[in-house]
Amino acid sequence: MTLLYKSAEIWQKQLNSAANLNSREFICGKDPGAGYGKAIYGDLTVVVPAAYSLLRNRNIRHHETISKDGAWVRYVSGSRKDLTEVQFFWGSAAIAQPDHILLHEDKGQKAQLALESILADLAIINIPDGSHLWISISNHNPDKWEAEIKRRVSGIHTFFHKHPVSREIVKKTVEIAVAGVYPEGFGSIAYCLFGNSSLQLDPSQTAISLDIGSSTFLATVFTGSGAVVDRHLIEGGCGELHSVIAEMLDKRNDFASLLSKDVKHSPSLINQGILAGTFTYGGNAMTGKKFETEYYECLEQWWDSRIEKFANFITSSNYLDKAAYLVSWGGGVAIRGVQDKLASLGFTVLDQPQFINSQGLKLLTEIQREDTND
């Protein structure tokens, strides 16, 4: 569960910043994520649901819609000859289509659709025409996908998108160079060690991180030099919490629920109610239901089962005794009640936890660029 732009006003400020940029060169970090993709292009940030839908009927004019967390893109020409004249939706614009693909359901899509994801980001922030991007990208299996990602993303790309202010269809050409493809979470480690002063960790010391995402908990033991000692993946991130709450609402017997008893409650609408802080399902008088009681009940069960697995991992090899820090990041850290639970266990939660990996990937791009220029 990653925080989207808090308001359209913040999005508009970023658009104005992009329009007034003097430089056309961007150092970038891209975290494809599970539920949401997060990216930083220079000083511009993007958070978009990780969803894709190929536009097969080109007479449909859904591209008229403009969104701060979704886009329509038409690839015109460039290094990806296979994409010539392909049109697609991304993010919330894709979710609105009945045939959309959620990337967390097929991790291979994160690599295969890496360029499409980036172009959608660039449409959302209205990147200037003629921009040059140097970018680092995270992936669950870089040994398998690194070469494929670089082949698909690198090069010159010309595409159309809807201008978010004028509403005209505009044409952009960008050049992208992939600085590196790194394991998931590697950017987070780099950022907390070298990007700020939150961790004063000697090379011989270790720290333990807990990355709470949409589909998993990822525990990592790493040293002050950035070396990964061990990792442990725990299935069932925030998305599972949303699903369990939705199932509880399915079983309600109150009058409002009986009106829609044959309709399965949507985990994504549960997520929206949590993000808004209202703990209300649906946006109208018939479907609007408070689920705060169910939320805290499910939160306890969900948290306890996963933190037990985390504890077993860090104690079985004496990692906990040796660790100088316990740190946490990821979009799930922002869930109400989770930060208090982490604090009670002695965790340090880093600022802007949902962007830590992207920040670190951007930092790695900067380092790579400096090494290349030396």
Side-chain angles (χ1 to χ4, degrees):
M1 191 195 82
T2 301
L3 297 178
L4 301 176
Y5 293 113
K6 292 183 179 179
S7 68
E9 181 181 359
I10 295 175
W11 177 46
Q12 289 293 330
K13 286 181 179 179
Q14 285 210 139
L15 295 175
N16 292 335
S17 297
N20 295 322
L21 286 172
N22 294 320
S23 174
R24 294 293 188 269
E25 297 192 354
F26 294 83
I27 304 297
C28 318
K30 172 73 175 181
D31 175 6
Y36 295 90
K38 287 81 65 178
I40 300 177
Y41 300 91
D43 295 326
L44 308 173
T45 60
V46 187
V47 183
V48 184
Y52 167 84
S53 177
L54 178 66
L55 198 162
R56 293 180 173 85
N57 182 355
R58 295 176 183 176
N59 294 320
I60 296 176
R61 297 185 61 81
H62 288 165
H63 60 265
E64 297 293 341
T65 301
I66 294 173
S67 171
K68 59 184 174 58
D69 46 38
W72 160 83
V73 173
R74 173 186 163 197
Y75 193 93
V76 181
S77 62
S79 302
R80 287 288 303 278
K81 305 299 183 186
D82 60 306
L83 287 183
T84 301
E85 293 304 319
V86 168
Q87 299 183 44
F88 62 90
F89 301 108
W90 196 273
S92 58
I95 292 174
Q97 313 306 316
D99 62 346
H100 67 268
I101 296 171
L102 299 176
L103 269 64
H104 72 83
E105 294 177 351
D106 181 357
K107 290 185 177 181
Q109 296 287 352
K110 292 184 183 182
Q112 294 163 6
L113 298 173
L115 177 63
E116 289 87 332
S117 173
I118 293 170
L119 295 182
D121 290 346
L122 301 183
I124 289 169
I125 62 175
N126 193 29
I127 199 80
D129 183 33
S131 294
H132 293 251
L133 284 70
W134 289 267
I135 191 167
S136 292
I137 304 169
S138 63
N139 184 264
H140 67 287
N141 189 351
D143 290 340
K144 177 179 179 180
W145 292 109
E146 178 178 9
E148 186 70 3
I149 290 172
K150 288 183 175 180
R151 183 189 71 80
R152 289 173 178 262
V153 173
S154 301
I156 297 174
H157 310 286
T158 300
F159 62 101
F160 285 120
H161 72 87
K162 193 79 170 177
H163 193 287
V165 178
S166 70
R167 298 183 63 80
E168 297 177 352
I169 294 178
V170 293
K171 186 177 182 180
K172 303 284 179 65
T173 298
V174 299
E175 184 172 2
I176 306 176
V178 179
V181 179
Y182 297 93
E184 288 183 352
F186 193 83
S188 302
I189 294 172
Y191 187 72
C192 75
L193 289 177
F194 312 119
N196 60 29
S197 58
S198 62
L199 294 187
Q200 299 296 326
L201 198 63
D202 293 335
S204 61
Q205 293 180 307
T206 62
I208 300 171
S209 67
L210 182 60
D211 183 345
I212 305 175
S214 296
S215 60
T216 61
F217 279 50
L218 178 61
T220 305
V221 182
F222 61 95
T223 70
S225 62
V228 173
V229 176
D230 201 355
R231 286 180 182 272
H232 182 58
L233 190 67
I234 302 168
E235 297 291 345
C238 303
E240 183 164 319
L241 173 63
H242 304 152
S243 296
V244 172
I245 295 171
E247 289 171 4
M248 288 192 72
L249 293 187
D250 290 343
K251 299 174 183 177
R252 268 194 185 177
N253 293 318
D254 56 86
F255 179 72
S257 297
L258 291 174
L259 289 174
S260 56
K261 63 180 180 179
D262 294 328
V263 178
K264 293 293 183 182
H265 291 79
S266 165
S268 64
L269 289 179
I270 295 292
N271 185 28
Q272 289 179 24
I274 297 170
L275 286 173
T278 62
F279 295 99
T280 300
Y281 179 92
N284 58 66
M286 181 175 289
T287 63
K289 305 170 189 175
K290 288 288 186 180
F291 61 85
E292 189 167 4
T293 300
E294 287 85 353
Y295 172 77
Y296 282 108
E297 180 180 337
C298 294
L299 177 67
E300 293 300 322
Q301 297 173 357
W302 170 78
W303 176 261
D304 289 347
S305 64
R306 278 139 193 84
I307 208 65
E308 180 180 359
K309 294 177 182 178
F310 170 76
N312 290 337
F313 165 66
I314 62 174
T315 57
S316 61
S317 299
N318 293 325
Y319 292 138
L320 183 60
D321 295 339
K322 301 172 185 176
Y325 288 96
L326 296 174
V327 293
S328 188
W329 51 64
V333 172
I335 292 180
R336 185 181 294 186
V338 168
Q339 286 207 23
D340 291 339
K341 292 179 180 297
L342 289 167
S344 69
L345 296 173
F347 278 88
T348 298
V349 177
L350 303 185
D351 293 337
Q352 294 187 308
Q354 67 269 39
F355 281 111
I356 292 296
N357 197 36
S358 298
Q359 291 277 17
L361 291 168
K362 179 187 173 187
L363 175 63
L364 291 168
T365 305
E366 292 173 351
I367 294 171
Q368 183 72 9
R369 285 279 295 155
E370 290 171 359
D371 291 344
T372 302
N373 294 331
D374 287 345

